[in-house]
Amino acid sequence: MTPTKLEVRPTDLLVLIDIQNDFCAGGALAVPDADSIVPLVNRLARHFLLAGAGIVQAQDWHPPGHSSFASSHPGRQPFDTISMPYGPQTLWPDHCIQGTHGAAFHPGLDLPMVQAVIRKGFRPQIDSYSAFFENDRRTPTGLVGYCRERGFQRLFFAGLAQDYCVAFSAEDAVRNGFESILIQDACRAIDLNGSLNQAMARLGQAGVGFTVAG
Ligand code: VGL
Ligand code: ZN
């Protein structure tokens, strides 16, 4: 396979978002064509490793009965929007339940070099799209501190879903003073009611950069 053309430095971090069975083919919240990013993600991770950069993974990790599940709200359907104390919340099918097959990483990932796994969405009453903050945009996962302490300057994002967890993560990275770059060909989107276009416009305005791994 051809090497990626990204120029990677030791102060770069690759953040792989939620490449888990439930977001892939046959999963509870399958993202169209999600499985096809796996070979590219494996290749990207090796490229970052060889450059001496950092590599971490985020993992959506909900307790049973999580408040983001439609099944926790009688009369509601998946993809309805409800109002939560922290703002509007899309309701999802039950997914990524702690310890289940659906919450496990895609079996095609070959990522022994990953240095940290950041779990999110484990608080019953609040969802977490971003790998940095929960959906109140204030409750931290600890990833900002991890990045600062390790001295990372540029954060590269890939994974699922481009218009939800990847987008929220890339935006939070900019807000917290990092250079933030989304690797477009290593992401796939849910695209619910135009959510992909909306997310990309928001990211452009926030100052997130876009690239392709090739
Ligand atoms: C995600 C919806 C619910 C994601 C996670 O990883 O994009 N989307 N939980
Ligand atoms: Zn989730």
Side-chain angles (χ1 to χ4, degrees):
M1 271 195 274
T2 48
T4 164
K5 47 192 182 225
L6 290 185
E7 276 186 43
V8 178
R9 312 166 188 156
T11 50
D12 291 341
L13 177 67
L14 178 63
V15 187
L16 300 171
I17 304 285
D18 301 0
I19 310 174
Q20 295 166 255
N21 290 321
D22 268 342
F23 297 122
C24 296
L29 181 44
V31 177
D33 198 34
D35 302 69
S36 71
I37 68 170
V38 169
L40 179 54
V41 167
N42 287 338
R43 195 150 55 85
L44 268 173
R46 258 147 209 82
H47 187 65
F48 274 69
L49 177 71
L50 289 173
I55 306 155
V56 300
Q57 277 180 288
Q59 189 172 28
D60 210 37
W61 197 249
H62 300 305
H66 190 257
S67 57
S68 75
F69 298 166
S71 62
S72 302
H73 304 270
R76 296 292 185 168
Q77 301 302 315
F79 312 110
D80 283 356
T81 302
I82 62 162
S83 167
M84 295 288 266
Y86 53 81
Q89 169 71 50
T90 303
L91 295 177
W92 305 105
D94 290 21
H95 68 279
C96 296
I97 296 176
Q98 296 170 357
T100 63
H101 173 79
F105 291 120
H106 189 291
L109 292 175
D110 183 17
L111 302 174
M113 77 294 276
V114 164
Q115 299 157 354
V117 175
I118 306 295
R119 288 175 168 169
K120 61 186 181 64
F122 52 77
R123 292 181 177 85
Q125 297 309 328
I126 185 165
D127 203 7
S128 187
Y129 294 151
S130 162
F132 297 94
F133 295 94
E134 312 227 323
N135 284 7
D136 60 0
R137 311 308 292 266
R138 289 169 17 163
T139 305
T141 63
L143 185 55
V144 170
Y146 181 90
C147 292
R148 290 209 181 118
E149 209 167 3
R150 290 200 56 194
F152 294 120
Q153 295 171 3
R154 292 197 306 182
L155 310 188
F156 287 83
F157 295 91
L160 310 169
Q162 182 173 342
D163 41 349
Y164 287 94
C165 292
V166 178
F168 276 69
S169 299
E171 197 179 346
D172 276 348
V174 169
R175 286 190 187 183
N176 286 273
F178 301 101
E179 205 177 321
S180 172
I181 300 147
L182 186 151
I183 307 174
Q184 278 187 271
D185 51 346
C187 296
R188 290 294 182 275
I190 297 175
D191 205 8
L192 196 61
N193 306 318
S195 57
L196 179 58
N197 281 340
Q198 282 166 30
M200 292 301 275
R202 207 175 69 232
L203 294 186
Q205 287 206 322
V208 173
F210 304 105
T211 189
V212 288

